[in-house]
């Protein structure tokens, strides 16, 4: 937070996610909560295939940027003892509360900025994010915050858009086979249009060093491709399945706090 107040992107992204909730995520949440298998990202690649997560049994887990908290619901059903979801957008949390009441899974939900979570140090065994803090928060703020919240030996697992997709994504329309921006500029990506938003995306070297310097050892970097039988996503249509079968559109980082 600067002396002038909270960072500019918080209000912009809260507005974007309030709109997304109305347009899409509230309805999608019912389908996702009804599912029990853990599956990652826009291509829904099963965890059984990617093996990105540690054993969840008995773990205390925090999701940073939980949205409608469907991923947290899967984590709870796979043995975690406590799952707490943090999100900035009240509309997303309203959907999460609705489904948490319906499924009686006992998730805890907290409205907060994932860059500054009002919880004590060393409280969780696993912190994760699937397109939450991992792309909507400043990595130089949320990764140290995740480190603070984790116990020694705890793990941080997050999915984000791949570096390559950030480099090839146009302002409008579909991703192509051309580099459209310098990698030096991708930490902060401002999207304009009808519903502006601000995303963050560090290159691999910078992200690796940030994790190392905040006390993590990197265990894995899993590049996620679209499966052979994947169809184009109906809502997130800017990346085609054809592109993502050739290049990884998403990546999962797994790191352990020393
Ligand atoms: C794509 S959703 C992630 C949840 C889910 N896994 C999904 O893919 O739909 C992104 C979420 O990040 C939240 N978010 C954006 N900025 C945030 C911040 N600074 N702190 C916490 N949550 C934030 C948004 O409110 C939104 O609910």
């Amino acid at each position: 937070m600067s002396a002038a107040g909270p960072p500019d992107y918080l209000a912009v992204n809260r507005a974007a996610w309030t709109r997304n909730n109305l347009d899409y995520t509230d309805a999608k949440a019912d389908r996702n909560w009804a599912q029990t298998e853990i599956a990652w990202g826009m291509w829904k690649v099963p965890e059984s295939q990617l093996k990105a997560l540690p054993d969840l049994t008995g773990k205390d887990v925090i999701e940073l940027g939980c949205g409608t908290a469907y991923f947290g619901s899967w984590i709870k059903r796979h043995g975690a003892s406590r799952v707490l979801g943090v999100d900035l957008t009240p509309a997303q949390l309203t959907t999460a509360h609705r489904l948490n009441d319906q499924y009686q899974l006992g998730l805890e939900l907290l409205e907060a900025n994932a860059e500054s979570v009002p919880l004590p140090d060393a409280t969780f065994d696993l912190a994760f994010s699937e397109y939450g803090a991992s792309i909507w928060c400043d990595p130089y703020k949320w990764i140290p915050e995740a480190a603070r919240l984790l116990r020694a030996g705890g793990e941080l697992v997050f999915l984000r858009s791949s570096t390559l997709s950030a480099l090839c994504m146009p302002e409008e329309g579909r991703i192509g086979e051309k580099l459209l921006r310098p990698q030096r500029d991708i930490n902060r990506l401002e999207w304009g249009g009808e519903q502006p938003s601000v995303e963050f995306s560090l290159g691999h070297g910078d992200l690796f060093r940030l994790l190392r310097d905040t006390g993590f050892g990197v265990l894995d970097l899993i590049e996620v491709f679209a499966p052979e039988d994947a169809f184009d996503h109906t809502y997130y249509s800017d990346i085609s399945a054809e592109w993502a079968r050739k290049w990884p559109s998403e990546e999962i980082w797994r790191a352990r706090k020393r």
Side-chain angles (χ1 to χ4, degrees):
M1 196 180 290
S2 72
D8 58 338
Y9 51 85
L10 296 185
V12 172
N13 288 340
R14 190 187 291 111
W17 280 99
T18 302
R19 169 81 180 270
N20 282 351
N21 180 268
L22 195 65
D23 288 352
Y24 178 65
T25 60
D26 181 64
K28 186 185 91 167
D30 290 85
R31 293 198 297 280
N32 281 330
W33 272 73
Q35 179 185 318
T36 51
E37 185 183 21
I38 300 176
W40 288 95
M42 66 183 282
W43 310 113
K44 293 269 172 276
V45 183
E47 164 62 15
S48 56
Q49 192 179 316
L50 296 175
K51 301 190 179 11
L53 290 167
D55 179 13
L56 298 169
T57 315
K59 297 277 168 66
D60 294 333
V61 181
I62 185 165
E63 179 170 9
L64 297 167
C66 65
T68 59
Y70 60 81
F71 211 109
S73 79
W74 301 337
I75 297 277
K76 190 80 197 291
R77 282 181 272 204
H78 281 75
S81 63
R82 176 184 190 199
V83 176
L84 189 149
V86 174
D87 203 278
L88 184 71
T89 309
Q92 291 279 81
L93 290 171
T94 299
T95 302
H97 275 294
R98 173 172 67 75
L99 288 153
N100 194 32
D101 289 348
Q102 184 180 325
Y103 284 87
Q104 293 287 300
L105 283 181
L107 266 54
E108 297 161 59
L109 298 163
L110 177 66
E111 184 185 326
N113 174 10
E115 298 167 344
S116 168
V117 179
L119 292 171
D121 297 356
T123 303
F124 297 95
D125 306 301
L126 170 67
F128 78 95
S129 172
E130 187 211 28
Y131 281 133
S134 54
I135 67 167
W136 300 104
C137 290
D138 182 340
Y140 291 100
K141 293 179 178 169
W142 84 267
I143 289 180
E145 185 63 348
R148 184 187 71 76
L149 291 162
L150 283 168
R151 299 177 177 129
E155 290 194 23
L156 172 63
V157 181
F158 57 96
L159 176 139
R160 60 176 207 155
S161 307
S162 68
T163 298
L164 188 60
S165 72
L167 295 175
C168 296
M169 186 63 75
E171 264 289 322
E172 272 181 42
R174 284 203 148 180
I175 197 166
E177 300 184 6
K178 207 169 153 189
L179 298 172
L180 296 179
R181 55 182 62 81
Q183 187 165 326
R184 281 176 184 274
D185 290 348
I186 59 171
N187 183 32
R188 180 176 166 133
L189 294 170
E190 297 189 17
W191 305 108
E194 205 186 318
Q195 187 60 66
S197 61
V198 180
E199 283 182 37
F200 296 87
S201 171
L202 280 185
H204 289 167
D206 288 337
L207 185 50
F208 175 86
R209 276 186 292 281
L210 173 58
L211 287 163
R212 185 195 61 195
D213 295 348
T214 42
F216 288 104
V218 174
L219 301 178
D220 209 350
L221 167 54
I222 303 167
E223 295 175 308
V224 183
F225 293 82
E228 279 311 312
D229 58 357
F231 293 105
D232 287 357
H233 201 282
T234 47
Y235 189 71
Y236 298 113
S237 55
D238 45 8
I239 298 189
S240 67
E242 190 193 355
W243 193 97
R245 273 193 285 270
K246 293 189 220 158
W247 296 285
S249 61
E250 302 171 319
E251 58 193 39
I252 302 173
W253 288 72
R254 180 172 175 185
R256 183 174 295 139
K257 183 176 166 177
R258 289 188 288 270

